[in-house]
Amino acid sequence: MQDKRLTIRPVLNLSSKITEENFQNVTLRPVLKLQHNLIISMFFHFCNKQKISIAEIKKESFQQEITTIIKKNTVLRNQLLGLIIGQFTQEEFLVYKENDSEFNKRILNMIGQRISDSCEDKKT
């Protein structure tokens, strides 16, 4: 029986022969796309609570600043990871736990890029 979580994910039709890239394309990217609005909302909520003004960050260093905010704050980082990992099926989690540190890096990099891209639209 197919896990119902799979039915709500966007279909991206990406694949790779390399296991980590295939997991990224088949699982991580669709989950990130599904959770996009929540990721952005959570990030802005965190910045507001911490009194971080996104508007004051220079465009040239924007991507780096987003990455720094995510990496320095373990609570935010763990919440963002939880948004993604919580959408895994049991089988996907078994793949994830075999190389969790590599997948966490990939997840956080993709989240940082999504936040940066979304905020960049608002800054121009």
Side-chain angles (χ1 to χ4, degrees), residues 14-26:
L14 302 169
S15 65
S16 174
K17 300 229 185 275
I18 301 169
T19 305
E20 289 83 6
E21 285 182 19
N22 194 54
F23 185 76
Q24 175 177 307
N25 291 334
V26 172

Side-chain angles (χ1 to χ4, degrees), residues 32-48 54 62 66 70 76 80 83-84 110-122:
L32 283 161
K33 188 169 185 170
L34 175 70
Q35 296 290 74
H36 177 79
N37 291 335
L38 190 54
I39 289 167
I40 302 303
S41 295
M42 183 177 281
F43 182 77
F44 278 116
H45 175 69
F46 170 81
C47 288
N48 287 336
I54 298 294
F62 194 74
I66 299 297
I70 292 170
L76 175 64
L80 291 169
L83 284 177
I84 306 309
M110 289 188 290
I111 286 175
Q113 188 62 53
R114 282 186 163 275
I115 292 169
S116 178
D117 291 348
S118 292
C119 294
E120 207 170 88
D121 295 340
K122 295 175 184 175

Side-chain angles (χ1 to χ4, degrees), residues 11-120:
V11 178
L12 300 180
N13 295 321
L14 302 169
S15 65
S16 174
K17 300 229 185 275
I18 301 169
T19 305
E20 289 83 6
E21 285 182 19
N22 194 54
F23 185 76
Q24 175 177 307
N25 291 334
V26 172
T27 301
L28 298 181
R29 289 186 188 281
V31 170
L32 283 161
K33 188 169 185 170
L34 175 70
Q35 296 290 74
H36 177 79
N37 291 335
L38 190 54
I39 289 167
I40 302 303
S41 295
M42 183 177 281
F43 182 77
F44 278 116
H45 175 69
F46 170 81
C47 288
N48 287 336
K49 280 182 76 171
Q50 298 298 313
K51 297 183 181 12
I52 299 170
S53 177
I54 298 294
E56 292 178 15
I57 300 173
K58 292 180 180 151
K59 192 173 183 177
E60 305 81 46
S61 61
F62 194 74
Q63 174 70 43
Q64 184 58 43
E65 291 291 328
I66 299 297
T67 302
T68 301
I69 291 168
I70 292 170
K71 285 186 179 177
K72 280 191 174 181
N73 190 286
T74 55
V75 172
L76 175 64
R77 186 174 66 237
N78 290 335
Q79 287 176 340
L80 291 169
L81 287 170
L83 284 177
I84 306 309
I85 296 165
Q87 293 296 318
F88 291 172
T89 64
Q90 186 65 35
E91 294 79 22
E92 290 167 339
F93 183 73
L94 293 174
V95 172
Y96 165 81
K97 75 176 190 172
E98 292 299 317
N99 202 357
D100 61 342
S101 61
E102 172 64 25
F103 290 130
N104 286 347
K105 285 181 199 171
R106 288 175 184 254
I107 292 167
L108 293 171
N109 285 336
M110 289 188 290
I111 286 175
Q113 188 62 53
R114 282 186 163 275
I115 292 169
S116 178
D117 291 348
S118 292
C119 294
E120 207 170 88

